[in-house]
Amino acid sequence: MAEDKATQKTGLKRVTRRQFLGVAWTGSLALVFAQAALALVKYIQPVAKSGFGGEVFAGKVEEFAIGSVNRILAGRFFISRTPEGLLALWQKCTHLGCAVPWVEEEQQFHCPCHGSLFNEVGEVVGGPAPRPLDLFPVEVRSGEVWVDTGKPQQRSKFDQSQITGA
């Protein structure tokens, strides 16, 4: 009877052990499902990349001498510095996709698979390649060269508009 009077005074109902355990189990299950849902959302979201497939820091503009071709390993591309500006050339041959190295002595790219040759701006000079090397967009920010390797651009010929001023 004392409990009934206390309940009447405060207006609160007494919680049984069964009710408490039911609420505790329901709450813990809800927490587990919320964590699983959060993990699923994080798994599905694309990862911001800073390597091939995303933005790659190539270096400072002054590091690229006019007339030079520099390989950027992290991005799988070459930076070609012309008097007008910069080009980011994908190292992938447009014939069958072989990696194309720059041969400094001959001032051209040589495809080791089928003999395609490309000049410093990626134009086909010889061999079976059907079109010039693909480009990546180049952006110069505060004197730094950034290349977006997630957006390769096919081209049918070289054009001065493809060069990013530096």
Side-chain angles (χ1 to χ4, degrees), residues 11-34:
L12 298 174
K13 283 178 70 177
R14 185 176 166 98
V15 177
T16 65
R17 184 184 317 178
R18 180 172 287 177
Q19 290 171 328
F20 174 77
L21 289 175
V23 169
W25 275 105
T26 303
S28 61
L29 280 176
L31 194 61
V32 167
F33 283 118

Side-chain angles (χ1 to χ4, degrees), residues 48-61 64 70-81 85-91 134-141 143-153 162-166:
K49 290 187 176 183
S50 62
F52 188 76
E55 281 199 344
V56 175
F57 173 68
K60 300 234 179 231
V61 174
F64 303 107
N70 299 286
R71 184 172 182 200
I72 309 300
L73 288 173
R76 302 180 196 159
F77 62 87
F78 290 89
I79 291 287
S80 178
R81 175 84 188 262
L86 302 164
L87 281 172
L89 302 165
W90 196 357
Q91 71 179 14
D134 295 335
L135 297 177
F136 291 121
V138 177
E139 189 177 342
V140 178
R141 298 183 220 143
E144 297 179 339
V145 180
W146 289 87
V147 178
D148 186 355
T149 59
K151 299 176 182 173
Q153 300 169 344
Q162 297 166 348
I163 296 176
T164 300

Side-chain angles (χ1 to χ4, degrees), residues 8-137:
Q8 288 174 355
K9 283 183 182 179
T10 59
L12 298 174
K13 283 178 70 177
R14 185 176 166 98
V15 177
T16 65
R17 184 184 317 178
R18 180 172 287 177
Q19 290 171 328
F20 174 77
L21 289 175
V23 169
W25 275 105
T26 303
S28 61
L29 280 176
L31 194 61
V32 167
F33 283 118
Q35 287 178 335
L38 182 65
L40 180 65
V41 167
K42 285 190 174 236
Y43 177 76
I44 292 173
Q45 277 183 328
V47 178
K49 290 187 176 183
S50 62
F52 188 76
E55 281 199 344
V56 175
F57 173 68
K60 300 234 179 231
V61 174
E62 59 268 8
E63 294 173 12
F64 303 107
I66 293 175
S68 69
V69 176
N70 299 286
R71 184 172 182 200
I72 309 300
L73 288 173
R76 302 180 196 159
F77 62 87
F78 290 89
I79 291 287
S80 178
R81 175 84 188 262
T82 67
E84 295 80 24
L86 302 164
L87 281 172
L89 302 165
W90 196 357
Q91 71 179 14
K92 183 176 151 188
C93 181
T94 55
H95 178 232
L96 291 177
C98 298
V100 181
W102 173 253
V103 179
E104 189 69 38
E105 299 80 37
E106 297 181 28
Q107 293 292 297
Q108 59 185 357
F109 294 96
H110 281 253
C111 180
C113 299
H114 298 103
S116 292
L117 302 172
F118 304 90
N119 65 12
E120 70 280 351
V121 293
E123 293 175 301
V124 179
V125 178
R131 57 187 172 75
L133 293 173
D134 295 335
L135 297 177
F136 291 121

